Every structure is written in C-alpha cells, then in structure tokens.
Amino acid sequence: MRTRTFLTAAVLAGAALFGVAGTAVADSPSPSPSGSAGAAGPTEAGTSFRTATPVKPGQKATAGASTGDYLYWVVPVDAGQRATMKAKVTLPEAARHGAATWQLDVYDGLRRRQACTYGAQTRAAAADAGSVELSCTLRTVRSWAEPWSNDPLPGGYYVRLTVTGLPQDDLGLPVRAAFEPVVTGAGGARAVDGKLAAPLVPGAAKLEPDGGWSSGRWHDRWVWTAVGGLLAALAGIAGYAVTRGAGRPSRVPPGA
C-alpha cells in the first residue's frame, strides 16, 4: 500500500514538473521573425565594411547604385538566432549586352566569410531579366566557440551585394537594390555553455538589438535538464521502494 501511494505521489510530482517546464518554454521567445517584417529601413548602403549601413532585423533597406558598385549593410544577430539575408536587385530597363552574375556575401564581426546553409547566394540574370533575387541563411549563432573554429558568434553581420560578372559595356548602368534580414529564434536546443565577454560589434555602428544582447541568459534547455534530473531521481526512489517491498516476507497472521 505504501509503495502504491509513493508511486502515485511520484507520478503527480512528475506531472507538476512537466507543467512547470511547459510554462517556462511557453514563456521563452518563440521562433518567429524579429521586428515588423518589411518595415521601412535605411534608403542607402555603405560602400565598404567601415561605412556599412546598420539595418535591424525585419527592416527593409533600399539603395540606388550603379552596376559594379559594392553595397554593404550590417545586421545584429544574437546567440540562439538564425538569420536569413535576402536581397533583390531591380535591373535597368536599358538594353544590356549579356547576362550578369550577382552575389550576396555575409561576414561576421571578425570579417570572416560565413557559409550559407541554404539559399541562392549567387544568381545569373539574363540580358532581358527585370530583377534578380538572392538569399543566404546562416547557421544558428552560438554564444561561445573555440578560437580555432569558424562558428558564427553574436554581433554584427556584414552583408555585401555586388555583381561578379557581366559584359564590360554594362558597367555603370543604374540599378535599385532592396535588402531585408529575417531573424528567427532557434530555442534552447541550440544553446551552448559559456558566452563571449562582448558581442562582435563594429565600433562605428549602433547595433544593439531591441532588449539588448541576450548571450548567456536563461535557456529552456536548462529547464528540461533540471526536470529530467528530478524525474530520474524520483524513478530511482520509486524503483528502490518497489524492490524493497517485493523482497519482504508477507506478514502471517498469528495462529494461522
């Protein structure tokens, strides 16, 4: 009877713990796009790393340029987030002499080129195409990494848009570029122990996200780790109680 009572209490305690964990996860940021998608942003772009134009996640930046120019923007991306950089180039209506290849490159705060997990980072536009669209989805940003690794870290991410190949006669033709960074949260499953002393943010740009940098804050992974440990302890105690009760001789009434 005592064993049954104990097992019932253990099950109820486990259910209560799962309820607490579920609440904690529900209270954590959901993996939805940051900011207001398509919100008006800057109307110009920088021409180098040092003059890169800051853009917040969810903003849509635009810029007029000439074919052959380098266009630079810089976006804040925090730990546990995954960024997708999107760009669209509206090509000139004037007759062009051939296809043009456009490319979108992303660099972190240390100016290390970051690989795209998916997306069309390079695309060729035919001579009669009206526009070309590119995108690059980065790996989830980590709060900390070994010095030798190339893991993406919290801070500013530079985005460079340019044409990499076209007929010489088409250089200098006017184009219109639109850039939009979309940032989503990956959750505690992507969290790692440790954090940077400070995000990798270029000194000239004010890039702190809304609400500040969250590196090293509470992750829902910690909740589930604690819940798992407590449930394991309860299971161990329950198992001990069951085996201890099974090993006892049953009490025989006197005079039987």
Side-chain angles (χ1 to χ4, degrees):
M1 187 67 179
R2 288 182 179 178
T3 300
R4 184 181 300 174
T5 303
F6 183 84
L7 288 175
T8 303
V11 171
L12 292 175
L17 287 172
F18 273 110
V20 171
T23 302
V25 173
D27 291 341
S28 63
S30 59
S32 57
S34 301
S36 301
T43 56
E44 59 182 10
T47 56
S48 67
F49 284 104
R50 295 185 62 182
T51 61
T53 299
V55 182
K56 291 183 178 181
Q59 285 187 326
K60 187 173 183 178
T62 57
S66 298
T67 305
D69 289 346
Y70 285 89
L71 304 180
Y72 285 82
W73 297 275
V74 60
V75 182
V77 187
D78 206 353
Q81 295 182 334
R82 178 180 295 169
T84 298
M85 310 300 186
K86 300 180 179 181
K88 179 179 180 179
V89 182
T90 302
L91 302 170
E93 296 181 359
R96 302 193 298 274
H97 297 81
T101 301
W102 290 82
Q103 184 164 310
L104 190 71
D105 295 307
V106 184
Y107 302 83
D108 67 8
L110 297 177
R111 300 186 186 180
R112 302 176 302 178
R113 189 172 183 271
Q114 293 293 313
C116 303
T117 57
Y118 56 88
Q121 184 181 8
T122 302
R123 269 190 172 172
D128 58 350
S131 63
V132 59
E133 297 185 18
L134 307 103
S135 68
C136 174
T137 299
L138 302 175
R139 293 173 292 165
T140 301
V141 172
R142 297 165 59 90
S143 59
W144 178 85
E146 295 289 349
W148 48 262
S149 74
N150 195 39
D151 291 332
L153 295 170
Y157 280 75
Y158 296 94
V159 179
R160 182 177 70 188
L161 175 65
T162 189
V163 65
T164 59
L166 80 167
Q168 189 71 22
D169 292 340
D170 290 343
L171 278 173
L173 291 177
V175 294
R176 189 74 182 168
F179 167 67
E180 181 179 2
V182 177
V183 176
T184 58
R190 301 282 183 173
V192 295
D193 295 330
K195 64 176 181 177
L196 290 181
L200 305 176
V201 179
K206 296 180 179 179
L207 284 177
E208 184 171 318
D210 296 338
W213 298 97
S214 64
S215 300
R217 286 186 187 170
W218 182 265
H219 290 290
D220 55 3
R221 184 187 65 164
W222 301 346
V223 177
W224 289 108
T225 301
V227 170
L230 288 173
L231 289 179
L234 287 173
I237 295 171
Y240 173 76
V242 170
T243 56
R244 184 169 177 267
R248 279 183 168 183
S250 59
R251 181 176 295 179
V252 180

Coordinates of all heavy atoms in Angstrom, one line a residue, residues 47 65-73 87 89 100-105 107 121-123 132 134 159-166 171 175 177:
T47 N 29.6 51.6 -48.8 CA 30.5 51.1 -49.9 C 31.7 50.3 -49.4 O 32.5 50.0 -50.2 CB 31.0 52.3 -50.7 OG1 31.6 53.3 -49.9 CG2 29.8 53.1 -51.4
A65 N 22.1 52.4 -56.9 CA 23.6 52.2 -57.2 C 23.8 52.1 -58.7 O 22.9 52.1 -59.5 CB 24.1 51.0 -56.4
S66 N 25.1 51.9 -59.0 CA 25.5 51.7 -60.4 C 26.0 50.3 -60.5 O 26.6 49.8 -59.5 CB 26.5 52.7 -60.8 OG 26.1 54.0 -60.8
T67 N 25.7 49.6 -61.5 CA 26.2 48.2 -61.7 C 27.8 48.2 -61.6 O 28.5 49.0 -62.3 CB 25.8 47.7 -63.1 OG1 24.4 47.8 -63.3 CG2 26.2 46.3 -63.3
G68 N 28.2 47.4 -60.7 CA 29.7 47.3 -60.4 C 30.0 47.9 -59.0 O 31.1 47.6 -58.5
D69 N 29.1 48.6 -58.4 CA 29.3 49.1 -57.0 C 29.2 48.0 -56.0 O 28.5 47.0 -56.2 CB 28.3 50.2 -56.7 CG 28.5 51.5 -57.4 OD1 29.5 51.6 -58.0 OD2 27.5 52.3 -57.4
Y70 N 29.9 48.2 -54.9 CA 29.8 47.3 -53.8 C 28.8 47.9 -52.8 O 29.0 49.1 -52.4 CB 31.1 47.0 -53.1 CG 32.0 46.1 -53.9 CD1 32.9 46.6 -54.8 CD2 32.0 44.7 -53.6 CE1 33.7 45.7 -55.5 CE2 32.8 43.9 -54.3 CZ 33.7 44.4 -55.3 OH 34.5 43.5 -56.0
L71 N 27.8 47.2 -52.3 CA 26.8 47.7 -51.4 C 27.0 46.9 -50.1 O 27.0 45.6 -50.1 CB 25.4 47.5 -51.9 CG 25.1 48.2 -53.3 CD1 23.7 48.0 -53.7 CD2 25.4 49.7 -53.2
Y72 N 27.1 47.6 -48.9 CA 27.3 47.0 -47.6 C 26.2 47.4 -46.6 O 25.9 48.6 -46.5 CB 28.6 47.4 -47.1 CG 29.8 46.7 -47.7 CD1 30.4 47.3 -48.9 CD2 30.5 45.7 -47.1 CE1 31.5 46.7 -49.5 CE2 31.6 45.1 -47.7 CZ 32.1 45.6 -48.9 OH 33.2 45.0 -49.4
W73 N 25.7 46.4 -45.9 CA 24.8 46.6 -44.8 C 25.4 45.8 -43.6 O 26.2 44.8 -43.8 CB 23.4 46.1 -45.0 CG 22.7 46.9 -46.1 CD1 22.0 48.1 -46.0 CD2 22.6 46.5 -47.5 NE1 21.5 48.5 -47.2 CE2 21.8 47.5 -48.2 CE3 23.1 45.5 -48.3 CZ2 21.6 47.5 -49.5 CZ3 22.8 45.4 -49.6 CH2 22.0 46.4 -50.2
A87 N 18.1 39.7 -50.6 CA 18.3 40.9 -51.5 C 17.6 40.7 -52.8 O 17.5 39.6 -53.3 CB 19.8 41.1 -51.7
V89 N 17.6 42.8 -56.6 CA 18.2 43.8 -57.5 C 17.3 44.0 -58.6 O 17.0 43.1 -59.4 CB 19.6 43.4 -57.9 CG1 20.2 44.6 -58.8 CG2 20.5 43.1 -56.8
A100 N 24.3 38.9 -66.4 CA 25.1 39.4 -65.3 C 24.9 38.5 -64.1 O 23.8 38.0 -63.8 CB 24.7 40.8 -64.9
T101 N 26.0 38.2 -63.4 CA 26.0 37.3 -62.2 C 26.1 38.2 -60.9 O 27.1 39.0 -60.8 CB 27.1 36.3 -62.2 OG1 27.0 35.5 -63.4 CG2 27.1 35.4 -61.0
W102 N 25.1 38.1 -60.1 CA 25.1 38.8 -58.8 C 25.4 37.9 -57.6 O 25.1 36.7 -57.7 CB 23.8 39.5 -58.6 CG 23.6 40.6 -59.6 CD1 23.1 40.5 -60.9 CD2 23.8 42.0 -59.3 NE1 23.1 41.8 -61.5 CE2 23.5 42.7 -60.5 CE3 24.2 42.8 -58.2 CZ2 23.6 44.1 -60.6 CZ3 24.3 44.1 -58.3 CH2 24.0 44.8 -59.5
Q103 N 26.0 38.4 -56.6 CA 26.4 37.6 -55.5 C 26.2 38.3 -54.1 O 26.4 39.5 -54.0 CB 27.9 37.2 -55.6 CG 28.3 36.3 -54.5 CD 29.7 35.6 -54.8 OE1 29.8 35.1 -55.9 NE2 30.6 35.6 -53.9
L104 N 25.7 37.6 -53.1 CA 25.5 38.1 -51.8 C 26.4 37.3 -50.8 O 26.4 36.1 -50.7 CB 24.0 37.8 -51.4 CG 23.5 38.4 -50.1 CD1 23.3 39.9 -50.3 CD2 22.1 37.8 -49.7
D105 N 27.3 38.1 -50.2 CA 28.3 37.5 -49.2 C 28.0 38.0 -47.8 O 27.6 39.2 -47.7 CB 29.7 37.9 -49.6 CG 30.2 37.3 -51.0 OD1 30.0 36.1 -51.1 OD2 30.6 38.0 -51.8
Y107 N 29.6 38.3 -43.8 CA 30.8 38.2 -42.9 C 30.4 38.5 -41.5 O 29.5 39.3 -41.3 CB 31.9 39.2 -43.4 CG 32.3 39.0 -44.8 CD1 31.6 39.6 -45.9 CD2 33.5 38.3 -45.1 CE1 32.0 39.4 -47.2 CE2 33.9 38.2 -46.4 CZ 33.2 38.7 -47.5 OH 33.6 38.6 -48.8
Q121 N 22.8 32.1 -53.1 CA 23.8 33.1 -52.8 C 24.3 33.8 -54.1 O 24.6 35.0 -54.1 CB 24.9 32.5 -52.0 CG 25.9 33.6 -51.5 CD 27.1 32.9 -50.7 OE1 27.1 31.7 -50.7 NE2 27.9 33.7 -50.1
T122 N 24.3 33.1 -55.2 CA 24.8 33.6 -56.5 C 23.8 33.3 -57.5 O 23.3 32.1 -57.6 CB 26.2 33.0 -56.8 OG1 27.1 33.3 -55.8 CG2 26.7 33.6 -58.1
R123 N 23.5 34.3 -58.3 CA 22.5 34.0 -59.4 C 22.9 34.8 -60.6 O 23.4 35.9 -60.5 CB 21.1 34.4 -59.0 CG 20.3 33.2 -58.3 CD 18.9 33.5 -58.1 NE 18.1 32.4 -57.7 CZ 16.9 32.4 -57.3 NH1 16.2 33.5 -57.3 NH2 16.3 31.3 -57.0
V132 N 16.6 40.2 -60.1 CA 17.3 39.0 -59.6 C 17.2 39.0 -58.1 O 17.4 40.0 -57.4 CB 18.7 38.9 -60.1 CG1 19.6 40.1 -59.6 CG2 19.3 37.6 -59.7
L134 N 18.3 37.1 -54.4 CA 19.3 36.2 -53.7 C 19.0 36.1 -52.2 O 18.3 37.0 -51.7 CB 20.7 36.8 -53.9 CG 21.2 37.2 -55.3 CD1 21.1 38.7 -55.5 CD2 22.6 36.7 -55.5
V159 N 26.8 42.3 -44.7 CA 26.3 41.8 -45.9 C 26.8 42.6 -47.1 O 26.6 43.8 -47.1 CB 24.7 41.8 -45.9 CG1 24.2 41.2 -47.2 CG2 24.2 41.0 -44.7
R160 N 27.3 41.9 -48.1 CA 27.9 42.6 -49.3 C 27.2 42.1 -50.5 O 27.1 40.9 -50.8 CB 29.4 42.4 -49.4 CG 30.0 43.2 -50.6 CD 31.5 43.0 -50.6 NE 31.9 41.6 -51.0 CZ 33.1 41.1 -51.0 NH1 34.1 41.9 -50.6 NH2 33.4 39.9 -51.3
L161 N 26.7 43.0 -51.3 CA 26.0 42.7 -52.6 C 26.7 43.4 -53.7 O 27.0 44.6 -53.7 CB 24.5 43.3 -52.5 CG 23.7 43.1 -53.8 CD1 23.5 41.6 -54.1 CD2 22.4 43.9 -53.6
T162 N 27.0 42.6 -54.7 CA 27.7 43.1 -55.9 C 27.5 42.2 -57.1 O 27.1 41.1 -57.0 CB 29.2 43.3 -55.6 OG1 29.8 44.1 -56.6 CG2 29.9 42.0 -55.5
V163 N 27.9 42.7 -58.3 CA 27.9 41.9 -59.5 C 29.3 41.4 -59.7 O 30.3 42.1 -59.5 CB 27.4 42.8 -60.7 CG1 28.4 43.9 -61.0 CG2 27.2 41.9 -61.9
T164 N 29.4 40.1 -60.0 CA 30.7 39.5 -60.1 C 31.1 39.2 -61.6 O 32.2 38.8 -61.8 CB 30.7 38.2 -59.3 OG1 29.7 37.3 -59.8 CG2 30.5 38.4 -57.8
G165 N 30.2 39.3 -62.5 CA 30.5 39.0 -63.9 C 29.4 39.6 -64.8 O 28.2 39.4 -64.6
L166 N 29.8 40.4 -65.7 CA 28.9 41.0 -66.7 C 29.7 41.6 -67.9 O 30.9 41.8 -67.7 CB 28.0 42.1 -66.1 CG 28.6 43.5 -65.9 CD1 27.5 44.5 -65.6 CD2 29.7 43.5 -64.8
L171 N 28.8 48.0 -67.4 CA 29.2 48.6 -66.1 C 28.7 50.0 -66.0 O 28.7 50.8 -67.0 CB 30.7 48.6 -66.0 CG 31.4 47.4 -65.6 CD1 33.0 47.5 -65.7 CD2 31.1 47.1 -64.1
V175 N 21.0 50.6 -61.1 CA 20.2 49.5 -60.5 C 19.6 50.0 -59.2 O 20.0 51.0 -58.6 CB 21.1 48.3 -60.3 CG1 21.6 47.7 -61.6 CG2 22.2 48.6 -59.3
A177 N 18.5 48.4 -55.4 CA 18.7 47.2 -54.5 C 17.8 47.3 -53.3 O 17.6 48.4 -52.8 CB 20.1 47.1 -54.1

